[in-house]
């Protein structure tokens, strides 16, 4: 997601969503590029929970862009490298 730097209202709402989806969020980062904030999220959850998260992020006034990709992990053994 992308939004203008220094938009505290957006930052507060994103923090609320982090707590709401705490069980689903495997990773999150916050970076500044030019005058924008970029917050990528990695969700590890059932596929039917993802649209709710994306819709809530998109509904935040001030969020300029939301994009997502799905990467299936079925059959991936997380206990081994590679």
């Amino acid at each position: 997601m992308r939004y203008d730097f220094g938009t505290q209202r957006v930052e507060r709402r994103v923090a609320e969503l982090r707590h709401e989806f705490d069980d689903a969020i495997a990773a999150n980062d916050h970076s500044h590029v030019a005058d924008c904030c970029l917050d990528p999220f990695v969700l590890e959850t059932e596929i039917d929970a993802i649209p709710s998260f994306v819709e809530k992020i998109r509904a935040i006034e001030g969020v300029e862009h939301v994009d997502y990709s799905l990467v299936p992990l079925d059959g991936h053994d997380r206990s081994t490298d590679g």
Side-chain angles (χ1 to χ4, degrees):
M1 64 179 282
R2 182 186 75 217
Y3 55 95
D4 284 338
F5 177 76
T7 312
Q8 292 181 358
R9 180 181 70 261
V10 174
E11 293 173 8
R12 278 193 301 274
R13 184 63 183 123
V14 170
E16 291 169 1
L17 288 176
R18 279 191 202 101
H19 291 287
E20 182 179 340
F21 287 88
D22 186 55
D23 291 343
I25 296 172
N28 174 233
D29 193 21
H30 179 89
S31 300
H32 297 150
V33 178
D35 290 334
C36 295
C37 293
L38 300 176
D39 285 23
F41 287 86
V42 176
L43 302 181
E44 188 173 356
T45 188
E46 297 298 319
I47 195 163
D48 56 347
I50 295 171
S52 175
F53 179 78
V54 172
E55 288 172 16
K56 289 182 179 193
I57 291 288
R58 286 184 171 155
I60 299 171
E61 185 178 339
V63 170
E64 297 174 0
H65 184 81
V66 177
D67 197 4
Y68 67 96
S69 298
L70 300 176
V71 178
L73 298 176
D74 293 345
H76 178 72
D77 182 358
R78 295 182 198 126
S79 65
T80 60
D81 292 334

